[in-house]
């Protein structure tokens, strides 16, 4: 299927590895020009090299990269200094650490909200009017399945990402919807990423179990009996950015292998 987005420009955050890289990779395969951003310069440059190599085998996309912390004013300024207008924006920032809510002070909460709620809102604010003026825009926020099915030790993430979800529910249904701009959230469940392995390693240390045993137990709790991979996540993201998905906005798209047990 031709997704109709070849030649568009996309900003993909947290794209040096994991789900962010999977999204950038899928967009490059569709002929989208991408500007990828992440904090680690070395990993980001490696990711950009991979995307450049792949772009020559597919639709020959332009690939740019900026090593910056997108959750800061300075980081966002560095990105928009390279390019101001984007047709597609994929927001993504590392989730806050797990723990007991009794141990989190105000600073911990502010940091979580700043990274996982206010940063996406800032990126939306900076780009949607240009998208609306051109009659096309796609914003995909990578959030978490915990928005649908909260996890007690991920309270910081539950709270901050739920705040973003509530904001998007309103703005996605504003006049932007009639101007060709869609805003959706993509909710990953258990995907094989460094983040998942880090969380499971913490569980293994806490319980005294081998890491592989903890990972196997998590897999068995998923109807699909496996973890997702960044490439299939990226494909979902690319579809949400497509011309075919123009009638989908304000949605929370859950990709979790069937783990969420609800009907709605």
């Amino acid at each position: 299927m031709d997704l109709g987005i070849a030649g568009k420009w996309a900003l993909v955050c947290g794209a040096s590895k994991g789900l962010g890289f999977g999204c950038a990779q899928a967009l490059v395969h569709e002929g989208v020009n991408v500007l990828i951003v992440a904090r680690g310069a070395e990993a980001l440059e490696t990711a950009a090299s991979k995307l450049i190599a792949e772009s020559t085998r597919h639709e020959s996309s332009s690939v740019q990269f900026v090593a910056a912390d997108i959750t800061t004013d300075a980081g966002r300024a560095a990105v928009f200094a390279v390019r101001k207008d984007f047709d597609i924006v994929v927001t993504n920032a590392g989730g806050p650490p797990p723990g007991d809510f009794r141990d989190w002070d105000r600073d911990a909460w502010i940091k979580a909200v700043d990274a996982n709620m206010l940063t996406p809102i800032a990126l939306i604010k900076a780009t949607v009017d240009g998208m609306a003026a051109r009659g096309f825009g796609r914003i995909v926020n990578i959030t978490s399945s915990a928005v649908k099915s909260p996890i007690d030790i991920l309270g910081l993430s539950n709270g901050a990402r739920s705040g973003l979800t509530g904001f998007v529910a309103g703005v996605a249904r504003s006049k932007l919807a009639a101007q060709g701009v869609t805003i959706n959230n993509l909710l990953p469940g258990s995907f094989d990423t460094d983040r998942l392995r880090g969380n499971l390693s913490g569980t293994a240390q806490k319980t005294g179990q081998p890491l592989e045993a903890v990972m196997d137990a998590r897999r068995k709790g998923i109807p699909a009996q496996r973890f997702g991979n960044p490439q299939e996540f990226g494909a979902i993201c690319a579809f949400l950015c497509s011309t075919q998905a123009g009638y989908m906005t304000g949605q929370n798209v859950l990709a979790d292998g069937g783990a969420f047990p609800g009907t709605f």
Side-chain angles (χ1 to χ4, degrees):
M1 180 187 293
D2 180 359
L3 298 186
I5 50 177
K8 301 291 189 185
W9 269 96
L11 169 63
V12 185
C13 303
S16 62
K17 56 185 177 180
L19 301 182
F21 179 79
C23 292
Q25 187 177 47
L27 291 171
V28 164
H29 289 183
E30 293 299 325
V32 176
N33 304 306
V34 299
L35 191 161
I36 59 174
V37 57
R39 285 174 292 184
E42 185 175 348
L44 185 65
E45 188 169 354
T46 298
S49 296
K50 291 179 182 177
L51 294 176
I52 291 169
E54 292 189 16
S55 73
T56 61
R57 298 199 298 270
H58 292 275
E59 298 288 341
S60 192
S61 305
S62 175
V63 178
Q64 298 179 338
F65 61 96
V66 176
D69 183 351
I70 199 67
T71 68
T72 66
D73 289 336
R76 291 188 291 274
V79 167
F80 290 118
V82 174
R83 185 173 186 87
K84 182 179 179 181
D85 293 319
F86 295 93
D87 307 294
I88 295 166
V89 173
V90 180
T91 76
N92 178 36
D100 188 318
F101 78 94
R102 298 171 184 82
D103 298 327
W104 299 325
D105 58 15
R106 177 179 173 80
D107 287 343
W109 279 106
I110 294 299
K111 185 176 181 179
V113 170
D114 202 29
N116 298 120
M117 178 182 174
L118 299 182
T119 290
I121 291 173
L123 292 171
I124 292 169
K125 179 180 178 181
T127 56
V128 289
D129 290 335
M131 293 176 178
R134 294 187 296 275
F136 179 92
R138 299 288 185 266
I139 294 174
V140 178
N141 303 300
I142 299 177
T143 62
S144 171
S145 62
V147 171
K148 290 273 289 184
S149 185
I151 301 169
D152 62 347
I153 63 170
L154 297 181
L156 290 172
S157 179
N158 297 340
R161 296 190 194 280
S162 293
L164 174 64
T165 303
F167 170 79
V168 167
V171 72
R173 293 171 174 85
S174 70
K175 64 180 181 179
L176 292 167
Q179 295 173 297
V181 180
T182 70
I183 309 175
N184 293 291
N185 304 315
L186 185 47
L187 287 55
S190 297
F191 278 78
D192 192 2
T193 62
D194 290 347
R195 166 81 170 173
L196 175 69
R197 290 178 178 274
N199 286 342
L200 294 182
S201 292
T203 300
Q205 292 175 4
K206 189 174 181 179
T207 61
Q209 301 179 70
L211 175 59
E212 190 52 48
V214 173
M215 294 181 69
D216 190 53
R218 174 67 70 88
R219 288 190 199 95
K220 289 179 179 177
I222 302 170
Q225 296 287 290
R226 67 177 179 87
F227 297 139
N229 65 69
Q231 288 70 37
E232 60 189 331
F233 185 86
I236 300 170
C237 179
F239 174 74
L240 290 175
C241 296
S242 72
T243 56
Q244 289 89 339
Y247 207 51
M248 291 178 64
T249 194
Q251 301 304 303
N252 293 292
V253 180
L254 185 62
D256 70 346
F260 177 66
T263 303
F264 302 106

